[in-house]
């Protein structure tokens, strides 16, 4: 049945989210056993998984989830201890649940005893409690499929006590405004939490330049906000010290971002105020004081905030502006990715057409058609805005990929006997969904590498004075218009001698080659490379790393390894933020146009002949002196074999760009044609990957231009400079014309 | 290749910096310079400027005190307001309360959207409702 399949798919998608949430909550519990919120969130997640699973007849999943849920419930109300052992057990149980979900999804069978041990322990704790409490299937919209052997019968009278509705008194003043007045219901993803922030400024606060107004507005960015002010301390005008702080606030903020996000807003004002932040557990949720519609008439004293009309208005006003606080499902909508891609594609085409129109428009005199020009300008603005909006739709936080890592590290830790602590930062960094999907494999592989080859055993670490537990730090951040993901470990670093020897043995490198440390480190990325003595089932097959690198390169990204022997390594992945559009600078070399990403350009200039120097007396390798520093030069016409280009930098232009590992590089071109936003068309999809070229595009003139990849150019430039190749020296006289360059 | 007029731009790389809060210089005390007062037959109008920073709070306070002395209706004209500091909002609130206590007639005239938004965001909209507002 087609519809059933659709529901199933939706269920599995929701399970992904629920499992991620379960994982996160359990991690939080590991850090702090008293975190009741995390415990509640974990319970809700497993409860939802169980409910849905029952509807589709996933018996095993239901049975296991039920027992797991029972134990979580007991921990919630204190019948069982939230001890580290129980939390660890829960973590293991969540892994089993994930396996069961996966098996249900793929239709495969797990061995009968999979998870049996955990199940037994859970049952022992739960006392094999049967579902007498009547809250079995109350989350379901359709009749549960009767499964013969679960042993869980739904009760005749379905209770709704798990749906977390607290009835709210409605009176005229509220006029049925549901949004902030009702508690956030325990919905499928259960993300939203309401925090009450009490902000009592010290007298100096305003003098120190801190603005409560800005703080409240910052809170709005992360969620729905309702502020209540207490002006009782405000004196009369005569007695008022103008920049003294008198007002205090109680602020309700409902956000899925977690307590940290709320705390961060107030990070700089801690010292200037008395601040408390309290989370409200949904079960206990009663509408906060100011929102409770007490039928009290406004108090006569004008300085007091009248409680009755005030809350109604405060509740209503934030509602239209801020994202709704209630059910997550009402504020998001699932869209088939294909449809979104279709739209992105069309917007891309729109941008190209608009660029062409703009180009044509330049030939039409402004005076004759002022309306046309204005229209074209507006079109440009609207197109850009449309594009930004559409791209934003596809942006997701990296969190979704990162959330799988803790479990991976746990498994690897157990398998290798090494102790590893995983630290993740920058999870809220957003990138395009398609890029995210490609991240999962590379990340997994690199983490495996780090645990397998990087982090030493506890004994080895102790022997060199390191703490027994190794640390892997995974971070994501936006840098220079790209996203950079780094995996650092504090292990033993790359064993360069061993790597070099292996590379030579495998014929990947000439025996007498002179390689820098960085070059040796990056040998690991070559195909067919592996130094593991035993090919473990984790890594070491030698096929992994190069596939990883290739996948990343296919996205227009790059991988870099930096390592310090004995201290650790850092694998750094750099990816474009979006695969669709780029702000670029159009440059020309000969009769070819190229596009340089604007984000990497530092500056451009025409150097003097005297600024250009050969390195170590070798004319192949040129540097440009600028403001006391030397920048290596890459000649486009040499790298890409363009006969008609201007070979001398002092007759052309040098565009200085930033490179990945820091440091700048100068690209020699003939001239700069202008700046344009270009739509990226992938070469890999339509042709194949070319080093030095990230992608292609169609300019406003209709011609095709290639988008340069700075990292690739650097490598090409270095190879171009290698002593084995020779290029004719630059002719320094300005009188005689140059013969055509033959690279 | 159509040549477009070329601007060679030095693209500045922005380094993400730490958030810096500007330190406003403390102001208080007598002899503050006053803001402009538009004194008519029946009312004295105080046109609020576009920006009311913390450093303007003393001047605003002195102006509001001075305006009340005229014995006319005080009209606070907020049409031009684009942003307000909490300090100045406090001054206005205090003025409202003081005027009510003293029996000085006052009216909030043509409050801009930004003015209302500032009051609203700070949870003070209900107080605004208690004032006489004219558009």
């Amino acid at each position: 049945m087609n519809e059933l399949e659709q529901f199933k798919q939706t269920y599995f998608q929701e399970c992904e989210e629920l499992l991620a949430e379960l994982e996160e909550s359990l991690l939080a519990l590991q850090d702090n056993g008293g975190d009741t919120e995390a415990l509640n969130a974990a319970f809700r997640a497993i409860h939802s998984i169980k409910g849905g699973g029952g509807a589709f007849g996933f018996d095993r999943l239901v049975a296991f989830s039920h027992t797991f849920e029972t134990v979580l419930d007991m921990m919630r109300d204190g019948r069982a201890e939230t001890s580290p052992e129980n939390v660890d057990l829960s973590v293991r149980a969540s892994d089993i649940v994930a396996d069961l979900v996966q098996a249900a999804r793929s239709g495969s069978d797990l061995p009968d005893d999979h998870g049996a041990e955990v199940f037994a322990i859970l049952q022992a704790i739960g006392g094999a409690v049967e579902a007498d409490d009547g809250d079995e299937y109350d989350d379901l919209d359709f009749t549960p499929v009767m499964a013969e052997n679960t042993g869980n019968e739904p009760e005749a009278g379905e209770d709704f006590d798990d749906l977390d509705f607290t009835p709210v008194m409605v009176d005229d003043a509220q006029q049925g405004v549901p949004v902030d007045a009702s508690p956030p219901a325990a919905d499928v993803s259960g993300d939203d939490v309401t925090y009450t922030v009490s902000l009592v400024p010290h007298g100096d606060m305003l003098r120190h330049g801190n603005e409560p107004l800005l703080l409240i507005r910052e809170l709005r960015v992360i969620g729905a906000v309702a502020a209540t002010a207490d002006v009782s301390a405000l004196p009369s005008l005569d007695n008022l010290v103008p920049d003294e702080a008198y007002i205090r606030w109680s602020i309700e903020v409902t956000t899925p971002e977690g307590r940290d996000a709320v705390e961060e807003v107030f990070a700089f004002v801690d010292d200037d105020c008395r601040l408390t932040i309290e989370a409200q557990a949904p079960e206990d949720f009663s509408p906060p004081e100011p929102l409770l519609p007490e039928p009290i008439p406004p108090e006569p004293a004008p300085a007091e905030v009248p409680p009755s009309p005030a809350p109604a208005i405060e509740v209503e006003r934030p509602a239209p502006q801020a994202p709704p606080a209630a059910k997550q499902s009402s504020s998001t909508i699932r869209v088939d990715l294909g449809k979104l891609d279709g739209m992105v594609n069309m917007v891309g085409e729109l941008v190209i057409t608009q660029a062409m129109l703009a180009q044509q428009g330049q030939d039409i005199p402004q005076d004759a058609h002022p309306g046309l020009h204005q229209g074209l300008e507006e079109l440009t603005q609207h197109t850009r805005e449309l594009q930004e909006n559409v791209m934003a739709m596809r942006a997701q936080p990296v969190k979704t990929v990162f959330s799988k890592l803790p479990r991976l590290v746990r498994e690897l830790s157990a398998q290798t006997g090494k102790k590893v602590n995983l630290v993740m930062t920058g999870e809220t960094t957003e990138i395009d969904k398609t890029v995210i999907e490609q991240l999962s494999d590379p990340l997994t592989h690199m983490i495996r590498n780090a645990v397998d080859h990087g982090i030493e055993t506890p004994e080895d670490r102790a022997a060199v004075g390191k703490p027994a537990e190794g640390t892997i730090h995974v971070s994501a951040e936006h840098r220079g218009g790209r996203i950079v993901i780094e995996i650092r470990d504090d292990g033993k670093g790359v064993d360069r001698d061993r790597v070099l020897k292996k590379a030579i043995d495998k014929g990947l490198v000439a025996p007498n080659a002179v390689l820098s440390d960085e070059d040796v480190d990056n040998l690991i990325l070559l195909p067919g490379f592996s130094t593991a003595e035993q090919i473990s089932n984790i890594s070491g097959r030698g096929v992994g790393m190069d596939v990883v690198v290739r996948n990343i390169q296919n996205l227009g990204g790059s991988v870099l390894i930096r390592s310090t022997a004995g201290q650790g390594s850092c694998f750094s992945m750099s990816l474009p933020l979006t695969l669709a559009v780029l702000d670029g600078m159009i440059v020309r070399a000969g009769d070819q146009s190229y596009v340089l990403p604007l984000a990497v350009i530092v500056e451009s200039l025409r150097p003097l002949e005297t600024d250009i120097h050969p390195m170590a007396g070798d004319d192949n390798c040129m540097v440009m002196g600028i403001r006391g520093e030397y920048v290596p030069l890459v000649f486009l016409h040499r790298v890409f074999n363009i006969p008609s280009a201007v070979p001398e930098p002092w007759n052309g232009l040098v565009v200085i760009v930033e490179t990945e590992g820091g440091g700048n590089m100068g690209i020699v071109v003939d001239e700069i044609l202008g700046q344009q936003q270009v739509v990226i068309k992938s070469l890999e999809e339509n042709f194949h990957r070319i080093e030095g070229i990230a992608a292609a595009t169609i300019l406003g003139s209709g011609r095709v231009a290639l988008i340069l990849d700075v990292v690739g150019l650097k490598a090409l430039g270095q190879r171009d400079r290698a002593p084995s190749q020779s290029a004719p020296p630059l002719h320094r006289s300005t009188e005689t014309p140059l013969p055509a360059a033959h690279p | 290749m159509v040549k477009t007029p070329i601007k060679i731009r030095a693209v500045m790389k922005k380094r993400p910096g730490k958030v810096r809060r500007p330190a406003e210089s403390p102001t208080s005390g007598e002899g503050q310079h006053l803001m402009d007062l538009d004194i008519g037959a029946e009312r004295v109008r105080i046109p609020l400027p576009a920006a009311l920073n913390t450093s303007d709070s003393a001047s605003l306070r002195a102006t509001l005190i001075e305006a009340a002395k005229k014995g006319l209706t005080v009209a606070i004209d907020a049409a031009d307001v684009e942003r307000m500091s909490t300090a100045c909002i406090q001054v206005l609130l205090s003025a409202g309360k003081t005027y009510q206590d003293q029996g000085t007639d006052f009216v909030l005239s043509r409050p801009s959207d930004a003015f209302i938004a500032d009051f609203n965001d700070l949870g003070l909209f209900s107080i605004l409702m208690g004032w006489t507002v004219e558009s």
Side-chain angles (χ1 to χ4, degrees):
Chain A
M1 218 194 330
N2 214 1
E3 267 187 6
L4 187 62
E5 272 314 304
Q6 242 183 327
F7 288 137
K8 261 196 205 170
Q9 285 318 308
T10 307
Y11 168 68
F12 287 125
Q13 280 168 356
E14 286 175 356
C15 275
E16 270 179 36
E17 291 168 10
L18 289 169
L19 284 169
E21 204 180 299
L22 180 59
E23 168 97 36
E24 203 179 308
S25 307
L26 291 175
L27 271 181
L29 266 180
Q30 278 182 327
D31 281 339
N32 171 18
D35 190 349
T36 44
E37 244 175 80
L39 197 45
N40 286 327
F43 175 86
R44 284 199 299 273
I46 197 67
H47 184 75
S48 301
I49 294 178
K50 183 191 84 170
F56 295 108
F58 298 136
D59 310 338
R60 237 177 121 171
L61 174 60
V62 171
F64 189 91
S65 304
H66 176 67
T67 314
F68 185 11
E69 172 196 74
T70 306
V71 171
L72 283 176
D73 199 23
M74 291 172 73
M75 290 204 279
R76 272 204 307 182
D77 56 21
R79 285 179 285 154
E81 233 190 281
T82 319
S83 60
E85 292 78 31
N86 281 349
V87 175
D88 280 342
L89 176 69
S90 302
V91 170
R92 286 167 63 197
S94 76
D95 289 346
I96 307 287
V97 171
D99 292 339
L100 289 169
V101 168
Q102 183 54 36
R105 190 170 193 166
S106 61
S108 58
D109 273 321
L110 288 172
D112 279 344
D113 61 355
H114 188 85
E117 192 192 316
V118 176
F119 189 63
I121 306 178
L122 286 174
Q123 272 193 321
I125 298 177
V129 174
E130 289 303 318
D132 290 334
D133 42 352
D135 66 340
E136 261 304 301
Y137 292 100
D138 40 340
D139 272 355
L140 300 180
D141 291 336
F142 34 98
T143 323
V145 171
M146 297 305 285
E148 304 81 66
N149 51 356
T150 53
N152 298 325
E153 306 295 307
E155 290 296 297
E158 294 175 358
D159 288 357
F160 286 89
D161 48 331
D162 270 359
L163 286 181
D164 294 323
F165 276 131
T166 305
V168 175
M169 282 189 287
V170 179
D171 84 354
D172 293 334
Q174 283 229 323
Q175 298 215 337
V177 175
V179 179
D180 285 345
S182 65
D187 55 308
V188 176
S189 39
D191 267 345
D192 281 338
V193 180
T194 298
Y195 300 89
T196 305
V197 180
S198 162
L199 175 64
V200 179
H202 295 156
D204 272 355
M205 180 172 175
L206 303 178
R207 277 192 279 275
H208 291 170
N210 288 312
E211 264 298 337
L213 186 57
L214 295 181
L215 293 172
I216 292 178
R217 284 186 175 151
E218 260 186 67
L219 279 179
R220 274 188 195 288
V221 174
I222 61 171
V225 172
T228 314
D230 175 5
V231 298
S232 52
L234 198 59
S236 66
L237 215 44
D238 286 324
N239 298 330
L240 180 83
V241 175
D243 53 359
E244 179 104 352
Y246 295 98
I247 309 181
R248 47 182 76 180
W249 285 273
S250 167
I251 308 164
E252 306 275 319
V253 54
T254 303
T255 172
E257 305 279 337
R259 199 197 171 88
D260 283 0
V262 179
E263 283 175 0
E264 207 178 294
V265 169
F266 298 98
F268 289 99
V269 303
D270 286 3
D271 295 350
D272 276 340
C273 63
R274 216 170 60 226
L275 184 73
T276 60
I277 304 177
E278 272 170 26
Q280 291 174 3
E283 277 77 9
D284 304 335
F285 192 90
S286 50
E289 279 313 305
L291 295 181
L292 200 64
E294 299 150 359
I296 306 173
E299 299 185 19
E304 291 300 331
V305 179
S308 172
I313 293 152
E314 283 162 22
V315 165
E316 278 177 56
R317 290 285 295 222
Q321 305 154 6
K327 267 186 157 1
Q328 191 95 342
S329 51
S330 65
S331 64
T332 56
I333 168 176
R334 280 189 207 284
V335 175
D336 179 39
L337 200 59
K339 291 183 189 166
L340 202 51
D341 280 343
M343 181 160 71
V344 169
N345 217 16
M346 273 332 290
V347 172
E349 296 294 326
L350 186 64
V351 168
I352 293 180
T353 309
Q354 177 263 317
M356 287 207 217
L357 276 180
Q359 188 97 2
Q360 296 293 316
Q362 281 173 346
D363 294 334
I364 300 177
Q366 184 116 6
D367 313 327
H369 298 272
L372 179 64
H373 279 271
Q374 180 162 8
L376 283 177
E377 244 184 67
E378 282 178 31
L379 182 62
T380 308
Q381 280 170 14
H382 292 156
T383 313
R384 188 176 271 267
E385 210 178 305
L386 175 63
Q387 194 182 63
E388 277 168 23
N389 285 338
V390 163
M391 290 323 296
M393 279 187 224
R394 294 209 313 192
Q396 268 193 349
V398 204
K399 199 166 157 180
T400 48
V401 179
F402 280 16
S403 62
K404 302 186 183 131
L405 300 180
R407 180 182 176 180
L408 175 64
V409 170
R410 271 202 305 277
E411 281 176 3
L412 291 172
S413 218
Q415 281 171 349
T416 57
K418 300 178 185 173
K419 296 205 186 114
V420 183
N421 178 31
L422 178 68
V423 176
M424 302 191 288
T425 55
E427 299 130 300
T428 52
T429 312
E430 288 196 338
I431 48 175
D432 202 76
K433 183 166 170 105
T434 44
V435 177
I436 282 196
E437 285 161 3
Q438 306 284 342
L439 270 184
S440 186
D441 283 343
L443 264 185
T444 306
H445 201 93
M446 289 188 196
I447 298 258
R448 286 191 164 151
N449 255 309
V451 175
D452 224 26
H453 302 299
I455 306 275
E456 314 95 325
T457 60
E459 298 79 38
D460 288 343
R461 288 180 68 86
V464 291
K466 289 185 188 174
E469 193 181 55
T471 301
I472 296 184
H473 184 183
V474 180
S475 68
E477 63 169 336
H478 290 145
R479 213 191 285 168
R482 292 169 78 79
I483 180 165
V484 177
I485 299 186
E486 290 190 337
I487 299 152
R488 277 172 215 279
D489 65 72
D490 62 353
K492 57 183 193 279
V494 172
D495 183 344
R496 293 201 180 103
D497 294 331
R498 199 153 147 248
V499 164
L500 185 55
K501 180 174 183 312
K502 197 76 178 184
I504 294 177
D505 286 348
K506 287 190 182 270
L508 298 169
V509 151
N512 58 348
V514 171
L515 296 168
S516 68
D517 282 350
E518 197 182 294
D519 291 337
V520 177
D521 290 345
N522 286 287
L523 286 175
I524 296 179
L525 304 176
L526 293 175
F529 189 92
S530 163
T531 61
E533 270 123 12
Q534 282 169 327
I535 294 182
S536 63
N537 67 342
I538 296 180
S539 61
R541 276 196 204 89
V543 296
M545 227 22 207
D546 71 308
V547 172
V548 166
V549 172
R550 201 173 47 223
N551 285 342
I552 295 174
Q553 286 173 337
N554 282 343
L555 294 174
S558 56
V559 180
L560 198 64
I561 304 179
R562 288 192 297 273
S563 165
T564 313
Q567 287 182 18
S569 316
C570 174
F571 281 64
S572 170
M573 271 193 286
S574 155
L575 292 157
L577 277 183
T578 165
L579 306 179
V581 163
L582 177 75
D583 278 318
M585 186 85 98
I586 323 283
V587 299
R588 181 179 65 79
D591 59 354
Q592 296 296 317
S593 305
Y594 297 91
V595 179
L596 269 173
L598 212 56
V600 301
I601 298 182
V602 177
E603 63 180 299
S604 51
L605 57 126
R606 169 171 289 182
L608 301 173
E609 194 174 334
T610 47
D611 290 333
I612 309 295
H613 314 271
M615 270 239 300
D618 172 13
D619 263 349
N620 280 336
C621 193
M622 311 294 283
V623 295
M624 178 178 77
I626 171 171
R627 294 189 290 269
E629 291 182 349
Y630 292 104
V631 170
L633 293 180
V634 168
F635 293 81
L636 269 191
H637 73 273
R638 271 200 224 159
V639 166
F640 294 129
N641 197 0
I642 308 166
S644 50
V646 173
E648 310 96 358
W650 51 88
N651 287 334
L653 283 173
V654 173
V655 180
I656 300 186
V657 298
E658 269 188 353
T659 62
E660 264 316 295
N664 292 342
M665 181 172 86
I667 303 180
V668 182
V669 303
D670 289 3
E671 78 180 303
I672 292 180
L673 297 176
Q675 227 173 291
Q676 194 184 326
Q677 197 180 54
V678 298
V679 176
I680 302 179
K681 295 287 184 195
S682 163
L683 272 185
E684 286 80 16
E685 273 172 27
N686 301 307
F687 183 48
H688 63 74
R689 196 178 163 271
I690 298 178
E691 194 176 11
I693 304 285
T697 184
I698 302 177
L699 296 178
S701 61
R703 288 193 59 170
V704 173
L706 297 177
I707 302 174
L708 297 173
D709 166 41
V710 167
V711 172
L713 268 187
K714 184 175 174 185
L716 282 174
Q718 281 171 341
R719 241 174 281 153
D720 177 60
R721 288 196 286 272
S724 53
Q725 298 202 15
S726 59
L730 286 179
H731 199 88
R732 290 217 174 225
S733 147
T734 48
E735 267 91 12
T736 40
L738 220 64
H742 299 293
Chain B
M1 182 65 54
V2 175
K3 288 195 187 183
T4 50
I6 299 158
K7 289 175 225 155
I8 298 182
R9 243 175 52 159
V11 174
M12 300 275 286
K13 294 304 294 182
K14 282 184 264 198
R15 300 247 157 265
K18 294 207 195 79
V19 173
R20 274 166 292 141
R21 307 275 182 186
E24 309 269 5
S25 51
T27 54
S28 64
E30 314 308 312
Q32 275 298 322
H33 99 279
L34 301 177
M35 294 160 55
D36 290 328
L37 289 179
D38 177 13
I39 305 175
E42 291 174 351
R43 51 165 64 175
V44 48
R45 180 177 145 264
I46 308 176
L48 296 180
L52 283 158
N53 301 317
T54 303
S55 49
D56 298 326
S57 55
S59 165
L60 179 62
R61 171 181 166 271
T63 308
L64 288 164
I65 293 178
E66 194 59 30
K69 290 182 187 165
K70 307 292 175 192
L72 305 168
T73 298
V74 177
I76 302 174
D77 187 343
D80 291 335
V81 171
E82 283 166 29
R83 66 167 196 275
M84 283 198 295
S85 59
T86 304
C88 286
I89 292 178
Q90 275 187 161
V91 171
L92 286 173
L93 289 176
S94 173
K97 176 173 159 201
T98 309
Y99 286 172
Q100 273 169 355
D101 288 350
Q102 283 173 348
T104 304
D105 278 335
F106 79 103
V107 61
L108 177 64
S109 174
R110 313 185 292 162
S112 66
D113 287 355
F115 183 100
I116 299 185
D118 286 351
F119 265 70
N120 178 57
D121 288 352
L122 285 178
L124 297 165
F125 191 75
S126 54
I127 297 190
L128 221 54
M129 299 289 289
W131 290 359
T132 309
V133 179
E134 68 183 24
S135 52

